Amino acid sequence: MYFEEPSVEAPQLEQLYAWRPWPEWVTAPLNDGVEVFALPKRLTRALANASSAELEELAGRWTARLWSEDGEDMTKDDLLAVLQGVAQLAESAVHTGGGLYSWSF
């Protein structure tokens, strides 16, 4: 959505809920909070094919949105570096015919 309909503002809930496909759980969240989900192929391809300029623009919008929501409590992570790393993983997934997964705890 953020590649196809760029905006600093978070999307309206109706727009967000209508957007498909959503990531799919590979494992449902466990009691300890661990979960794994597969990112949609559409998102994986968008990240894999994104130019440096597109990633910079996306990181800028992401930063602006986080700043407006979290202010001083915003993450200190380098969001552009995060996107660049995920885009490299996505590119590898596309070239090998694999998928892109997220694991969190």
Side-chain angles (χ1 to χ4, degrees):
M1 178 182 295
Y2 287 103
F3 283 113
E4 295 177 17
E5 297 178 26
S7 173
V8 171
E9 302 298 320
Q12 297 294 320
L13 287 180
E14 302 82 36
Q15 182 185 13
L16 186 62
Y17 292 142
W19 198 261
R20 297 281 186 251
W22 282 78
E24 295 180 18
W25 268 309
V26 175
T27 61
L30 302 174
N31 290 339
D32 59 1
V34 172
E35 61 185 341
V36 178
F37 58 91
L39 297 180
K41 296 219 178 280
R42 179 178 176 183
L43 174 58
T44 303
R45 284 190 306 271
L47 287 165
N49 295 324
S51 68
S52 294
E54 289 173 314
L55 292 175
E56 286 178 31
E57 183 182 340
L58 180 57
R61 290 193 312 266
W62 187 13
T63 300
R65 193 172 120 221
L66 286 175
W67 182 258
S68 72
E69 292 175 4
D70 299 335
E72 295 294 325
D73 293 328
M74 190 178 105
T75 180
K76 302 291 189 246
D77 293 332
D78 181 347
L79 301 180
L80 177 56
V82 170
L83 279 175
Q84 289 168 331
V86 172
Q88 286 177 337
L89 293 171
E91 187 174 0
S92 177
V94 167
H95 288 335
T96 62
L100 192 58
Y101 300 88
S102 176
W103 171 71
S104 63
F105 60 96

